[in-house]
Amino acid sequence: MNLRHDIYELVQHIPLGYVATYGQIAHLLGLPHHARQVGYALYQVDLDSEIPWHRVVNAQGKISTSPQRHGTDEQQRWRLEAEGIEFDRQGKIDLRRFGWRPAWLQTSEKP
DNA sequence: AACCTGACGACGC
DNA sequence: GGCGTCGCCAGGT
């Protein structure tokens, strides 16, 4: 399958109340150095899609902003807060608390 | 084919 | 820890 499809498939596994990073998604797919491609793929997701695109943030635990998002980054924050995720004063998420830890990493299983 | 553009990240100061 | 640099690579022009 193509890259975008793989990315979408994996993002759907991020559980409610947790977040993953762009680089983490790329690594889980066995594609290091493809973090930017993850961001590019998510940029193209329809806002009303089933894909929980809002559960992906950058490695610093912050929502990545861009003029081209036309405010969807704001919507991302609302959605995450609605799921119980907390932001600190600098708009950062504590990845130790809210970072996704896929179960299959410990059980040597794959989705 | 060459060049440009990023929802990124590791690293050095 | 904040901030700039540099490396990355799929897609579009």
Side-chain angles (χ1 to χ4, degrees):
Chain A
M1 278 323 231
N2 67 61
L3 184 53
R4 283 181 46 195
H5 176 91
D6 290 342
I7 291 167
Y8 296 152
E9 207 282 330
L10 181 54
V11 167
Q12 297 199 59
H13 289 277
I14 306 172
L16 188 151
Y18 290 89
V19 296
T21 69
Y22 299 98
Q24 182 182 7
I25 297 298
H27 272 283
L28 288 170
L29 291 172
L31 298 168
H33 315 302
H34 283 66
R36 303 186 80 141
Q37 279 60 240
V38 174
Y40 186 73
L42 292 177
Y43 173 67
Q44 317 220 24
V45 170
D46 183 40
L47 290 183
D48 300 320
S49 162
E50 298 296 319
I51 300 169
W53 52 268
H54 57 287
R55 294 184 192 141
V56 185
V57 298
N58 63 32
Q60 306 146 56
K62 300 205 316 198
I63 291 174
S64 288
T65 61
S66 162
Q68 312 200 0
R69 295 191 63 178
H70 302 295
T72 60
D73 46 342
E74 292 285 332
Q75 181 178 359
Q76 180 170 8
R77 173 155 180 161
W78 301 336
R79 289 194 182 207
L80 291 175
E81 288 177 331
E83 296 186 354
I85 289 173
E86 299 166 16
F87 291 79
D88 70 12
R89 189 177 314 194
Q90 314 164 57
K92 263 172 37 176
I93 298 167
D94 185 350
L95 295 177
R96 293 175 306 175
R97 293 175 61 198
F98 302 108
W100 179 38
R101 290 163 181 71
W104 66 78
L105 286 184
Q106 289 134 34
T107 61
S108 72
E109 230 176 280
K110 276 207 286 191

